[in-house]
Amino acid sequence: MSSHSIPISDLANEWLRLDKNPETRKEIELLVQQNNTAELEARLRHRIEFGTAGLRATMEAGFSRMNDLTVIQASQGLCLYVLEHVPNARERGVVIGHDHRHHSNDFARLTAGAFLAKGVKVYAYKNLVHTPMVPFGVKKLNAACGIMITASHNPKKDNGYKVYWENACQIIPPHDEGIAKKILENLEPWTWDYNSFDNPALVDPTAELVPAYFSEVQQLCVDKAVNAASETKFVYTAMHGVGYPFACRVMEEFGFQPLVPTKEQVQPDPEFPTVAFPNPEEGKGALALAFKTAEEVGAKVVFANDPDADRFTVAEQQRSGEWVLFTGNQIGTMFACEALRNWRASGKSDAKVGVLCSTVSSSMLAKVAKVEGIHWEDTLTGFKWIGNRAIDLEKEGYNIIFGYEEAIGFMLGDIVRDKDGVSALGYFAQLASRLYREGSTISDYLESLYQKYGYFASANSYFICHEKETIDRIFAKMRFGAAPEADPQGQFAHKLSYATHIGPHKVAHVRDLTVGYDSSKPDHRPVLPVSAAAHMITYYLDNGCVFTLRTSGTEPKIKWYLEVSASSQADAEAQAKAIEAAMTQQLLEPEVNKLQYRTSS
């Protein structure tokens, strides 16, 4: 029987039959007593979807939410899928980590219990770790998979369940579909074990793996003695997350003086009391306390990690006194150029050196690679694609020295094939220290790169939209027009009819990775993988502007990534701003569709 035809009262009874957590049981019981059908429908009618991002949702009762029951069900499906598809999985085991969010510890314990119940070896970090410690653990221990309980930079009400495959990368298709199927086949809890961390069969690998991790990160250090002599002060914020002890340790490994902490934000706090959105990408508002701390101690540079410390960003006070928060694309370009500089300084050959970025990231990295004569590729959005592609290229003999996505995620070397905000912090401290020692600044360095490779300006943002039907309608209009025609060849339900102009600019070609269409190819088939699970359309304009519109796998957002290159920064920024305004009004129609504008923390 389809869940659509099941009476909501039956779904509520099924929840109450399965759930053993008194708090979440009480939530559903109260909704039943209140006859709150709308809320029961929202929570119980549809299951939380397991995808390449794993799980992420609000923490509350219901099949569509993050809670003890849905975590156990996900763990059971994952466990059985791994046992079927990974050789010697039971002996190789699983690595589990968790952040500081509400219920993260319980979710980690319940996950461990599900695997232990099937005789799988479990390595669980009992204390808080930053997300990269899980893929690092999978790599070092040759484990069958890894799970990190975190919602990264989402609001405090959310939590998530991120899965890494045996290659220490986030899962990609078809594993997501296979795991989702196994979950649905194994919904009856076979255990509900909050005491799994006390099980003698469970191993806490912290004492072995944390030193091993920093030993590998330390190899990114160019000259520890020079760093020790640096007089540059760095202020740091952990955004109320887990990053502070790891950030302190990486600075020590690189030889630097201790970080200056933003005291209000460096201790883990699941309430995130000083920021509405604990995401350093959200703008200067999120870093206001760090800027205040920096000004009090006379520091010119601020570093930030997101709450699970897999992302990193940097801001610098200008000579005018203004603080500039660098974009992910700007930081990524600086990282790439510094990584290449250090690679060459070590005497290694440029043969088969490569860099990677996501397809919505800046074209500047491609320009750098072309000028410098190294390999560059773009991938689908997300580090699952960057990491897996890096591994594939390594098998072909490439040295992938750097990879990034514009959402402040950076991968340096092969320590983990995932973004890592801690290794990034140490590496950037090394770059900034060198620049200041030479009498330069971070902004000066970026300007020198623009002068060498061209000026690039980005306009990246999003609208919030909680109605999936509205989002689907917006993208359908982009594909098929306001009055869609029938497709005479029968390839699509309607004839594709993308915009021919955005404002005054002609559309040169369009790539749609949702339906599998690329007008620039002779056969109209895109090179990158196609996925109907999310919307993603890229427009290439005749003036060289490229922008992508896509939906998020973890948040109710329509995101866009727009970039223009020009002969000056002012011209590039002016063009980017004008095209962004034309694009949003023409394609997204925010007023008509009642889209919520981005708000800063």
Side-chain angles (χ1 to χ4, degrees), residues 309-488:
D310 62 350
R311 299 174 193 237
F312 164 80
T313 197
V314 58
E316 181 183 51
Q317 190 176 38
Q318 305 302 291
R319 295 176 179 92
S320 65
E322 178 193 3
W323 283 95
V324 167
L325 176 61
F326 298 102
T327 68
N329 284 322
Q330 291 170 333
I331 300 168
T333 301
M334 290 188 279
F335 267 133
C337 292
E338 183 69 359
L340 182 58
R341 176 185 183 273
N342 292 333
W343 175 269
R344 288 172 171 170
S346 69
K348 297 173 182 174
S349 168
D350 278 4
K352 290 216 160 186
V353 169
V355 290
L356 302 172
C357 66
S358 65
T359 191
V360 298
S361 298
S362 175
S363 303
M364 191 169 179
L365 187 61
K367 182 70 174 295
V368 170
K370 183 177 181 180
V371 170
E372 299 297 337
I374 63 173
H375 184 75
W376 166 87
E377 285 186 26
D378 62 348
T379 72
L380 287 181
T381 307
F383 255 89
K384 53 185 171 286
W385 300 106
I386 295 171
N388 277 284
R389 186 57 185 152
I391 290 173
D392 290 343
L393 287 169
E394 283 171 354
K395 292 174 183 175
E396 297 175 24
Y398 283 93
N399 292 289
I400 303 303
I401 59 174
F402 178 67
Y404 91 99
E405 61 181 1
E406 55 74 43
I408 58 172
F410 310 104
M411 175 184 76
L412 289 146
D414 60 356
I415 302 162
V416 292
R417 284 312 188 191
D418 200 28
K419 55 185 177 287
D420 183 352
V422 171
S423 61
L425 187 151
Y427 206 82
F428 205 94
Q430 185 171 250
L431 166 60
S433 177
R434 175 177 69 79
L435 294 172
Y436 280 95
R437 189 170 63 249
E438 295 171 353
S440 184
T441 67
I442 300 167
S443 296
D444 292 340
Y445 179 56
L446 182 62
E447 175 64 21
S448 73
L449 299 180
Y450 283 140
Q451 290 179 9
K452 183 175 182 180
Y453 302 111
Y455 289 87
F456 292 75
S458 300
N460 301 339
S461 194
Y462 59 81
F463 284 122
I464 296 171
C465 182
H466 293 277
E467 292 75 36
K468 184 178 183 299
E469 295 79 8
T470 299
I471 293 174
D472 289 342
R473 186 176 66 251
I474 290 169
F475 278 90
K477 188 173 180 180
M478 278 188 235
R479 291 187 178 100
F480 307 116
E485 301 177 35
D487 177 13

Side-chain angles (χ1 to χ4, degrees), residues 60-100:
E60 57 189 3
F63 296 122
S64 65
R65 306 296 198 251
M66 283 289 296
N67 49 63
D68 288 359
L69 178 59
T70 55
V71 165
I72 288 171
Q73 291 172 330
S75 300
Q76 293 179 168
L78 175 62
C79 178
L80 294 178
Y81 183 84
V82 168
L83 287 173
E84 281 187 17
H85 290 86
V86 179
N88 306 313
R90 192 169 270 109
E91 296 75 26
R92 291 168 63 184
V94 57
V95 179
I96 300 171
H98 69 280
D99 69 8
H100 65 304

Side-chain angles (χ1 to χ4, degrees), residues 223-242:
D223 194 325
K224 192 169 184 177
V226 170
N227 293 342
S230 172
E231 297 180 358
T232 305
K233 290 181 181 178
F234 300 104
V235 165
Y236 174 77
T237 173
M239 287 284 145
H240 300 293
V242 303

